[in-house]
Amino acid sequence: MAKWRLATATLRRHLQSPSPTISAFKDPTKSLSAAAHQSRSYSTAQTDDSRGKWLTLPPFSPTIDGTVVGKGLLSDGDSVKASTDNSKTTALRWILRCRPDLPRTLVQKLFRLRQVRREMSLSVDGDELQRSQLKRVAAKESLNVGDRIYLPLSVDNDTPPTPPAKKESFKCSEEERKFVCSLVLYKDPAIIVLNKPHGLAVQGGSGIKTSIDELAATCLTFDKSESPRLVHRLDRDCSGLLVLARTQTAATVLHSIFREKTCGASAYGVKKNIKSLKRKYMALVIGCPRRQKGQISAPLRKVVVDDGKSDRITVNDNGELVSTQHAITEYKVIESSPHGYTWLELRPLTGRKHQLRVHCAEVLGTPILGDYKYGWQAHKAREPFVSSETSPTKPSSSPFGLDLDGGDVSSKQPHLHLHSKQIDLPNISQLLEKMQVSSDSDISDLDSLKFDAPLPSHMQLSFNLLKSRVETCDKN
């Protein structure tokens, strides 16, 4: 009796509810994020009366798997598959991908009640496509290319309205917006490359008012509906090249590239075939390494200090394997100053937190100038560099309260002299275009993008002061 009343009430509600608006559904295979923005959009099949009673999802098509592509770029092979095996895409996953607004519990209930239909795409004579009759489909049933999924019209009436997320957008003045846009060194449909200034945090956190993550969403969307995404990090006081992804697919590929680069390097050696990602930093250190060049392979671990109030990274030299991450850095001396400073070229083969700073301070014994966290003892004994050409600079107002003046080697408290100067990346935009054309693409001829960021003002001034000092000593 209770079931009969429930069925009667449901039927009455469906008869009284207005017909849903019919609109074109954008193909999510071109951009899954576009499907998320148009989660309420769908089309009603018009092929016959029976199909007119259903909501039609876009035909299934394999999508690019960024993780697989990223791993393929670092493999020995020249061919990369754009997607995972089609058999792994089930009817349930395809519905949730096309209609992210539908609760998972509701979709699972539709399958339990056997209210989901499938229309298979059958090829005739190799060219013509013929549609099959609508048949019930199970949640875990795999889809073939071209298959369509049909949902009952009642799903929109049964879906509880979701209030829009209340996220306050970061507000920038016109001057601040121009400053952020001036940081852009390169832009294409897949990535944006910035020259991050010293003192600007990459991601928000405790005590951080402004970050690249927030500013990018406000100032750097350009012609995209999606906000740029972070794919790697730079310390707040580190300057230089920072890569942002402009789409979710590009972000997944880049995440995989950076992750596989680190995983590919180990204490037992570095894979010679890893050529898709190269990074070079410039650093001014206090002191001079014993050797002119070499490779540092020292595992790192995090320790908690100040009664749990803060933490720091240190070299793990006690043989413990718990919470230890291998870290490898190549270094080369560029130029030494008779005043006790050395310019180093640093090439991280892994991407660990504070890797370069800890390797310079604890392994080489030459902390980076301006690194008070790992080189405070060297800074206590340090005296500011004195030069006849040193002239006091008048502080100027900088956007977001950044201290972009001074901080060079002649300052009592210099800024961190660590700069991400060069990055080599595969052309992600070209790669994704190839993958859209063919699921198996030859990437042996994939172009490489090379970026070079000029030194920040405090490091350039330090370079000029030390250079003039060297020239003066040579003349004497």
Side-chain angles (χ1 to χ4, degrees):
M1 191 66 175
K3 292 184 179 180
W4 178 84
R5 289 179 179 176
L6 178 61
T8 303
T10 304
L11 177 61
R12 184 181 299 111
R13 185 177 71 251
H14 287 170
L15 292 175
Q16 293 175 353
S17 62
S19 299
T21 305
I22 300 176
S23 59
F25 197 111
K26 195 171 182 180
D27 188 352
T29 59
K30 297 181 180 178
S31 174
L32 294 181
S33 60
H37 288 297
Q38 300 185 11
S39 59
R40 286 286 181 178
S41 302
Y42 51 83
S43 62
T44 304
Q46 301 294 335
T47 54
D48 55 40
D49 293 337
S50 63
R51 284 169 171 78
K53 300 177 182 179
W54 302 87
L55 299 183
T56 313
L57 298 187
F60 169 70
S61 177
T63 55
I64 296 175
D65 189 325
T67 302
V68 174
V69 173
K71 289 182 178 180
L73 287 171
L74 303 181
S75 66
D76 294 319
D78 294 331
S79 179
V80 179
K81 288 187 178 297
S83 64
T84 57
D85 187 1
N86 294 341
S87 63
K88 296 181 181 179
T89 304
T90 62
L92 174 63
R93 290 179 60 184
W94 185 245
I95 293 175
L96 295 176
R97 184 178 299 174
C98 296
R99 293 295 302 266
D101 60 306
L102 297 179
R104 187 183 184 93
T105 53
L106 174 60
V107 177
Q108 291 173 333
K109 180 180 179 181
L110 293 176
F111 279 108
R112 288 198 304 270
L113 297 178
R114 306 180 72 183
Q115 294 182 355
V116 184
R117 299 292 185 270
R118 172 187 184 181
E119 179 187 61
M120 299 184 66
S121 176
L122 306 176
S123 60
V124 179
D125 296 333
D127 295 324
E128 278 186 53
L129 289 179
Q130 182 180 357
R131 297 288 177 180
S132 67
Q133 294 182 351
L134 299 187
K135 295 183 178 181
R136 294 187 180 94
V137 61
K140 296 184 178 181
E141 192 172 334
S142 60
L143 300 181
N144 299 319
V145 176
D147 289 358
R148 289 182 183 272
I149 294 294
Y150 291 81
L151 302 176
L153 289 172
S154 59
V155 292
D156 281 337
N157 296 329
D158 295 338
T159 304
T162 55
K166 296 181 179 179
K167 183 179 180 181
E168 296 183 1
S169 59
F170 189 84
K171 296 182 180 179
C172 293
S173 65
E174 187 61 27
E175 179 185 0
E176 291 171 337
R177 183 181 296 273
K178 290 181 179 179
F179 173 77
V180 174
C181 291
S182 70
L183 303 178
V184 177
L185 297 180
Y186 175 84
K187 174 172 66 72
D188 67 19
I191 66 171
I192 294 177
V193 181
L194 305 179
N195 184 11
K196 188 188 87 67
H198 157 85
L200 185 58
V202 170
Q203 198 169 25
S206 177
I208 297 177
K209 297 180 179 180
T210 309
S211 66
I212 291 289
D213 198 19
E214 292 178 319
L215 295 175
T218 304
C219 308
L220 301 179
T221 55
F222 299 110
D223 57 335
K224 296 281 187 181
S225 59
E226 303 177 64
S227 299
R229 295 168 169 84
L230 298 174
V231 295
H232 68 115
R233 304 288 187 271
L234 288 180
D235 292 344
R236 181 175 184 173
D237 293 329
C238 179
S239 60
L241 295 170
L242 181 71
V243 182
L244 304 175
R246 302 190 68 191
T247 65
Q248 179 60 57
T249 303
T252 306
V253 174
L254 287 168
H255 273 302
S256 182
I257 290 174
F258 277 89
R259 182 174 58 252
E260 291 300 320
K261 175 72 173 182
T262 295
C263 295
S266 68
Y268 303 102
V270 181
K271 290 184 179 180
K272 296 181 180 180
N273 59 325
I274 298 182
K275 300 179 181 179
S276 62
L277 174 63
K278 295 180 181 179
R279 290 171 290 175
K280 183 171 76 173
Y281 287 71
M282 289 278 290
L284 180 61
V285 299
I286 302 174
C288 183
R290 294 181 180 180
R291 298 180 180 179
Q292 291 295 301
K293 62 180 180 179
Q295 183 182 99
I296 303 170
S297 180
L300 304 178
R301 64 187 178 97
K302 181 166 63 176
V303 295
V304 180
V305 295
D306 297 334
D307 297 328
K309 296 180 181 179
S310 61
D311 57 67
R312 58 178 289 148
I313 308 300
T314 185
V315 172
N316 182 36
D317 53 4
N318 55 12
E320 294 182 1
L321 297 179
V322 180
S323 301
T324 298
Q325 295 178 325
H326 72 277
I328 304 176
T329 303
E330 293 180 345
Y331 75 92
K332 181 174 67 174
V333 173
I334 299 176
E335 189 175 61
S336 296
S337 166
H339 215 68
Y341 298 96
T342 303
W343 287 100
L344 293 182
E345 175 184 293
L346 303 171
R347 294 179 179 268
L349 302 183
T350 55
R352 304 302 186 187
K353 181 179 179 180
H354 296 175
Q355 173 179 322
L356 300 181
R357 295 164 62 181
V358 176
H359 277 178
C360 285
E362 297 192 14
V363 179
L364 296 181
T366 57
I368 299 174
L369 182 65
D371 187 358
Y372 306 103
K373 187 180 184 73
Y374 298 104
W376 65 272
Q377 288 183 333
H379 283 80
K380 282 181 62 177
R382 168 189 172 272
E383 294 184 1
F385 178 83
V386 180
S387 172
S388 59
E389 296 187 12
T390 305
S391 58
T393 57
K394 297 180 180 181
S396 59
S397 58
S398 301
F400 312 110
L402 297 177
D403 182 11
L404 302 180
D405 296 311
D408 57 87
V409 68
S410 65
S411 302
K412 291 183 178 180
Q413 290 187 328
H415 297 331
L416 182 68
H417 281 53
L418 179 62
H419 180 68
S420 174
K421 184 163 178 55
Q422 293 182 1
I423 288 183
D424 293 3
L425 279 174
N427 191 328
I428 302 299
S429 180
Q430 181 188 36
L431 172 67
L432 296 182
E433 287 179 2
K434 284 189 172 187
M435 294 303 177
Q436 290 288 355
V437 175
S438 173
S439 61
D440 293 324
S441 299
D442 182 12
I443 62 168
S444 59
D445 59 344
L446 191 66
D447 295 337
S448 178
L449 300 176
K450 299 183 179 182
F451 306 103
D452 192 301
L455 292 175
S457 58
H458 66 281
M459 291 184 67
Q460 185 62 54
L461 182 55
S462 295
F463 183 83
N464 295 339
L465 292 174
L466 295 175
K467 187 76 173 178
S468 63
R469 179 68 177 175
V470 171
E471 292 176 352
T472 303
C473 292
D474 291 341
K475 291 179 180 180
N476 295 335

